[in-house]
Amino acid sequence: MDEDTRLFDIEVRLLLEGVYQVYQHDFRNYATASLRRRMQQAMEHFGCTSISELQHRVLHDRRVFAQMLQFFTVQVSELFHDPGYFLALRQEVVPVLKTYPSLKVWVAGCSTGEELWSLAVLFDEEDLLERTVFYATDINPVALRTAEAGIYPLDRIARFSANYRQAGGRRSLSDYLVTGYDAAAFDRRLRKQVVFADHSLATDSVFSEVQMVSCRNVLIYFNRALQDRALGLFHDALVRRGFLGLGSHETVRFTAHAEAFEDLVPEHRIYRRR
Amino acid sequence: MVVAPPPCAAAGRCRAIAIGASAGGVEALGTLLPRLPADFARPVLVVLHLPPRHPSPLASMLDARCAVPVREALDKERIRPGTVYLAPPDYHLLVETDGTLALSVDPPVLYSRPAIDPLFESASAAYGEALLAIVLTGASADGAAGLAAVRRAGGTAWVQRPDSAAHPTMPQAALQMAGADAVYTLEEMGRQLALLSGTSHHPHPPTGEPRDERHGT
């Protein structure tokens, strides 16, 4: 590692420690390589020439920290992102879920809600919606509010519709949306099944027993220690034989919980708790 | 007149190779990577701009034609020498300083995900002067900023000779912004890479402590 990178990483570690001490948001075990890049972008955004300068502003001004949160957690997804994942859920997981009289599903790190709403639509089509409570959690209050609003720009909906069809959608995505002006909002009927909550995979504990956890492309932002923690939470939250869905190139294989889950649909990273 | 270029001395100290390619890249990689001998002792990390929405057959296609294993990168996978890792469609590929791979779904860079700059920058942070970064054909400016970062950290830069590239824009942009230690055609580059086999003193990557291998593949 060259000297500039070494210093930069030290400054980032100090910033993360300060953020944890002052705001109790714990990014200390986030994966370094992508964080480093985003901290560089944050420096540019705030017009700072060093992380130490940025640290001063973040620690002394809560509003700057609120904006920094967007740099710690930028992720934008699509509805029915990786349609094959949702198709596999429909074929392999839904038949088992139908055997439960009531269901709880945890969408961990729900960000702006795309994955959550995809699942809600899927569950509605499979006649599971009415007996399901979705817990949609994230640490970013701005993202959570966006998720809760369930409103997406119309220019994104065309792409979403194509995904929906590839995911085995049986109706038209517009059946679930109320459109107006240049945006579309998810129907209230879907929204009343969802509980939105602030929850950190780094610092909080399990809050409910669930039949399924969907957590896609969140673990890639964690280092191995934090991946171990998060997967431990999922394991503790899941009922025996409960389901875990990850992103298309994430795996439990390199974590402490590799043996605690078995492959159900390896191609789409759907696991089952042993 | 064709003159064989001299070996690139700076490349001798490299412990890892990062390659970026865009338009025309499938053919370029198909020419370059099969020239790596079976005993090639360094890891090769590759970003090829791909349409994001489909699983890619590229890894298995190249794997069948190469003496070294070629596979799509998995998050937190330990980097092994003599293996080619491709960025999966729709993910950036990054290198951690502890010698593992990381993926991200951060926004596209220059309209691409995967993008070359994040790979080059993170690999440079991990390997410093022991990185060899290579820019191949493409109709984009991706990779140029990353290559500049590699050179600032003392790493070695190779660029495909623009007039030999299917799409010269990307090599040109790289040369303009970063310059290069050597400019080669694909055939020359393949020969130069093959010369690196078996000469690394440090087949294991970056600077971190040796780690527990239990969870390795």
Side-chain angles (χ1 to χ4, degrees), chain A residues 145-182:
Chain A
R145 279 198 296 276
T146 307
E148 188 162 12
I151 300 171
Y152 299 95
L154 273 186
D155 58 8
R156 295 186 71 199
I157 299 290
R159 178 88 166 257
F160 293 171
S161 291
N163 285 349
Y164 166 77
R165 283 192 299 275
Q166 285 177 41
R170 293 182 182 157
R171 296 170 203 165
S172 161
L173 193 56
S174 59
D175 293 351
Y176 299 94
L177 296 164
V178 182
T179 49
Y181 300 104
D182 49 3

Side-chain angles (χ1 to χ4, degrees), chain A residues 199-219:
Chain A
H199 180 276
S200 164
L201 295 170
T203 51
D204 293 329
S205 50
V206 169
F207 54 88
S208 181
E209 185 175 71
V210 301
Q211 279 76 27
M212 179 179 152
V213 174
S214 192
C215 181
R216 313 196 64 222
N217 294 326
V218 175
L219 296 182

Side-chain angles (χ1 to χ4, degrees), chain A residues 103 116-117 119-134 171 176 187-194:
Chain A
L103 289 168
L116 164 76
W117 294 116
L119 288 170
V121 167
L122 170 65
F123 274 50
D124 186 53
E125 294 192 352
E126 298 294 339
D127 291 323
L128 289 172
L129 185 68
E130 296 299 322
R131 64 176 115 157
T132 303
V133 175
F134 290 96
R171 296 170 203 165
Y176 299 94
D187 199 304
R188 298 219 158 271
R189 197 168 55 81
L190 301 184
R191 286 201 236 174
K192 70 178 180 14
Q193 304 303 122
V194 189

Side-chain angles (χ1 to χ4, degrees), chain B residues 49-60:
Chain B
H49 291 166
L50 291 164
R53 304 174 55 71
H54 306 285
S56 165
L58 188 69
S60 54

